[in-house]
Amino acid sequence: MAICRTLLSYSQLHRPPRHQMLSTIVPTLSFSNYPPKLHEFTKLPPLYTSLKRSSSSSMESPPEGYRRNVGICLINPSKKIFAASRLDVPDSWQMPQGGIDENEDPKAAALRELKEETGVSSAEILAEAPHWLTYDFPPQVREKLNQQWGTDWKGQAQKWFLLKFTGKEEEEINLLGDGSEKPEFGEWSWMSAEEVIDRAVDFKKPVYKEVFGAFHPHLQ
């Protein structure tokens, strides 16, 4: 017991002050390098959130009750848009479009429909709209088409693609198409986006506005 008391008394007498103990336990922090030097990041290109590059066709399900369809916005080197007048609707112009076959990829459907309706096969896919765009058929149109198709679709859900024409007009563009389907168009022209919207039937105008909004960076 005497030895213990002696050791205790010695430790109390020779214990360093509290501030020295803390400095021994916790090393001195140096803020000479604070804040840390930030590395310079490589600038990234602008992100167009409304547009998805066409590396793959989006296969999310379209809304129920709508026929699966593709739309083709075909532009020439001057960034004018291909439009054609419908044979069955006087004074109505539109961009090429058509139904997607069972188990068919939308991108493949777009290339097929373009060739069937316009004869064009020399085209490069530039971009794909990120979502299905829908429009409803007016009552008379719905009745006529559903009788023709034997269905009861409310309208069409479209997957839109932007393509650039890379061929020669006089050699490829032919409104008789590739001969596999009945012709749909009577005349064709390269137009501005505003002209296409102005000449389209009313129930397609909202979709066309969305399409041109999605592809806006490529149309400037």
Side-chain angles (χ1 to χ4, degrees), residues 37-141:
K37 184 179 180 180
L38 297 178
H39 295 286
E40 184 176 349
F41 290 97
T42 302
K43 293 183 178 180
L44 298 176
L47 174 64
Y48 296 107
T49 56
S50 62
L51 186 65
K52 181 174 67 177
R53 301 297 294 180
S54 60
S55 57
S56 62
S57 294
S58 178
M59 291 297 289
E60 76 275 12
S61 298
E64 291 290 332
Y66 289 83
R67 178 176 179 251
R68 294 171 75 245
N69 191 276
V70 289
I72 301 102
C73 180
L74 180 69
I75 61 174
N76 65 11
S78 299
K79 300 184 179 181
K80 293 294 186 179
I81 301 160
F82 179 92
S85 61
R86 293 193 61 90
L87 290 171
D88 58 348
V89 184
D91 301 320
S92 172
W93 290 66
Q94 70 174 54
M95 292 180 281
Q97 65 178 56
I100 302 173
D101 293 337
E102 188 71 23
N103 298 321
E104 185 179 25
D105 180 74
K107 185 187 297 185
L111 296 173
R112 174 182 55 76
E113 286 289 341
L114 180 64
K115 186 174 181 180
E116 287 179 0
E117 295 186 356
T118 69
V120 171
S121 58
S122 299
E124 173 191 356
I125 296 180
L126 300 179
E128 174 187 343
H131 306 294
W132 294 92
L133 301 177
T134 63
Y135 64 81
D136 291 338
F137 296 132
Q140 291 182 337
V141 175

Side-chain angles (χ1 to χ4, degrees), residues 142-154:
R142 179 176 180 177
E143 182 180 0
K144 175 185 175 181
L145 291 177
N146 284 327
Q147 285 180 353
Q148 177 182 328
W149 294 333
T151 57
D152 190 27
W153 301 116
K154 293 185 293 186

